[in-house]
Amino acid sequence: MTGNDNAPRLIGRKEAAEYCGISPSCFSMWVASHKMPPAVPGTRKWDRRAIDAKLDEISGLAAADGPEDAYDKWMREHGGKQEARKAFRPHLKLREGPRRVLVFMAAHPECDTIDQIRGAGQLTIDKLMTEGAVKSVGMDDAGQRHYALTKLGKEEAARLEQWLAP
């Protein structure tokens, strides 16, 4: 894997462990003890460059008093690893269907009935209402109920868009 310019930058746990020359369970322990960086938020993949930077730091190749790298700066600005991960991870426990409906509703606020919201059914809307992401805003003369995202729904849709982005 080393020296291959065509190798993907993001790698799974097994590949990351192999890249470091250790077992996958040892790699997991190193991640837990902060010897290795965490997975990229919202994924189960590790950035080779972040691994290289941590290995440089462990081996003493990185200057201890050198300039702050982009990763450290980003982590400092986001309040540490746990807070940074929380900022981007979806908060509501939703399955794929309700997630897609939530993102669609955020992108298309003019679509506010079940017939207009792509992929929505009454059960999906009921689930989103139970979670507090969607609210009913009334009925029209034709008897169709209209729905809108709550503040929580808008925030969750924004997190989902970042989290699901390729």
Side-chain angles (χ1 to χ4, degrees), residues 42-99:
T43 72
R44 292 184 182 179
K45 301 285 185 176
W46 280 262
D47 186 331
R48 282 181 194 269
R49 291 185 193 165
I51 292 171
D52 287 339
K54 279 298 206 175
L55 288 173
D56 287 349
E57 182 182 315
I58 291 169
S59 65
L61 292 176
D65 57 348
E68 180 178 48
D69 69 4
Y71 175 78
D72 290 335
K73 180 181 177 187
W74 186 85
M75 282 302 200
R76 181 178 43 76
E77 290 172 355
H78 287 83
K81 294 176 183 169
Q82 294 301 325
E83 291 306 312
R85 290 178 141 217
K86 284 181 189 175
F88 294 105
R89 181 178 294 148
H91 294 182
L92 301 178
K93 304 285 187 215
L94 299 173
R95 292 180 180 254
E96 183 77 16
R99 285 182 188 158

Side-chain angles (χ1 to χ4, degrees), residues 17-158:
E18 184 179 314
Y19 183 68
C20 294
I22 57 177
S23 70
S25 60
C26 182
F27 182 80
S28 293
M29 288 189 325
W30 282 17
V31 171
S33 65
H34 307 290
K35 287 183 183 176
M36 283 291 117
V40 173
T43 72
R44 292 184 182 179
K45 301 285 185 176
W46 280 262
D47 186 331
R48 282 181 194 269
R49 291 185 193 165
I51 292 171
D52 287 339
K54 279 298 206 175
L55 288 173
D56 287 349
E57 182 182 315
I58 291 169
S59 65
L61 292 176
D65 57 348
E68 180 178 48
D69 69 4
Y71 175 78
D72 290 335
K73 180 181 177 187
W74 186 85
M75 282 302 200
R76 181 178 43 76
E77 290 172 355
H78 287 83
K81 294 176 183 169
Q82 294 301 325
E83 291 306 312
R85 290 178 141 217
K86 284 181 189 175
F88 294 105
R89 181 178 294 148
H91 294 182
L92 301 178
K93 304 285 187 215
L94 299 173
R95 292 180 180 254
E96 183 77 16
R99 285 182 188 158
R100 289 186 187 277
V101 168
L102 199 61
V103 171
F104 179 84
M105 288 179 74
H108 305 281
E110 71 282 1
C111 297
D112 62 352
T113 65
I114 289 179
D115 294 341
Q116 296 172 332
I117 302 168
R118 187 174 59 204
Q122 191 61 54
L123 291 176
T124 301
I125 294 295
D126 290 345
K127 172 67 176 168
L128 291 170
M129 288 178 68
T130 301
E131 293 291 331
V134 170
K135 64 182 176 184
S136 173
V137 292
M139 288 186 126
D140 61 17
D141 294 337
Q144 284 195 313
R145 186 164 300 279
H146 294 261
Y147 301 95
L149 293 180
T150 62
K151 181 180 177 190
L152 174 68
K154 291 174 185 176
E155 291 169 353
E156 185 72 357

